[in-house]
Amino acid sequence: MLVRLLYASRAVDASPPSIEAILSQSRQYNPQHGITGILCYGGGIFLQAIEGGRQPVSDLFGYIQRDTRHKSVAILHYEEISERRFSGWTMGQVNLERVNASIVLKYSERPELDPYAVSGRVSLALLEELIATASIIGRA
């Protein structure tokens, strides 16, 4: 059974080397466990969707909750799915500082990523918009 989990967290260290380390680790781990997804980050906040089998996604989320690079980890949305939306990415990435602010503003009160202030469905809609506007990089 496939599931999608969407969560938010605050970065302990949002420096480019730290972000790249997270992405690199994800791109090594995820294919071995049948996980695909996307990591969106900006302003020290991560918004991540992960898809795969129920147990692998649960195991990965448990790891993320214990990972000292994250704080304030919160599930925004969880659902059983019939097909993956992010199947082309072992871990796609979006740096919101390089995206037109009007895209983020469309889904929030201010043009800043704050998934804690909106519903999980709104955050998922933002990710869908980022796919539609080809803002996701790192298709691997």
Side-chain angles (χ1 to χ4, degrees):
M1 169 178 298
L2 291 174
V3 299
R4 178 179 303 120
L5 185 145
L6 181 66
Y7 78 90
S9 68
R10 296 190 188 283
V12 172
D13 176 4
S15 68
S18 180
I19 301 291
E20 190 51 46
I22 289 171
L23 288 166
S24 177
Q25 184 177 1
S26 297
R27 290 176 180 146
Q28 287 179 340
Y29 177 90
N30 291 354
Q32 298 170 13
H33 297 89
I35 293 175
T36 56
I38 176 175
L39 175 67
C40 186
Y41 56 92
I45 295 177
F46 294 126
L47 173 63
Q48 184 172 26
I50 51 179
E51 300 171 323
R54 182 185 296 154
Q55 195 59 54
V57 167
S58 180
D59 292 345
L60 177 57
F61 185 67
Y63 173 80
I64 290 165
Q65 289 178 298
R66 295 183 305 275
D67 189 336
T68 58
R69 297 174 294 188
H70 299 268
K71 61 183 179 182
S72 304
V73 179
I75 293 176
L76 304 176
H77 185 75
Y78 179 88
E79 65 182 326
E80 295 176 354
I81 56 175
S82 58
E83 63 184 36
R84 296 172 191 253
R85 181 63 181 107
F86 308 109
S87 62
W89 295 277
T90 55
M91 189 47 59
Q93 72 185 78
V94 178
N95 180 346
L96 284 178
E97 293 166 4
R98 297 183 181 183
V99 172
N100 186 328
S102 66
I103 293 173
V104 177
L105 185 59
K106 182 176 175 181
Y107 297 96
S108 62
E109 293 179 18
R110 297 183 319 225
E112 301 164 359
L113 178 64
D114 187 1
Y116 297 99
V118 297
S119 74
R121 293 209 182 272
V122 167
S123 293
L124 196 54
L126 170 61
L127 294 179
E128 294 284 344
E129 176 101 5
L130 293 170
I131 289 171
T133 59
S135 298
I136 301 170
I137 60 172
R139 188 179 281 266

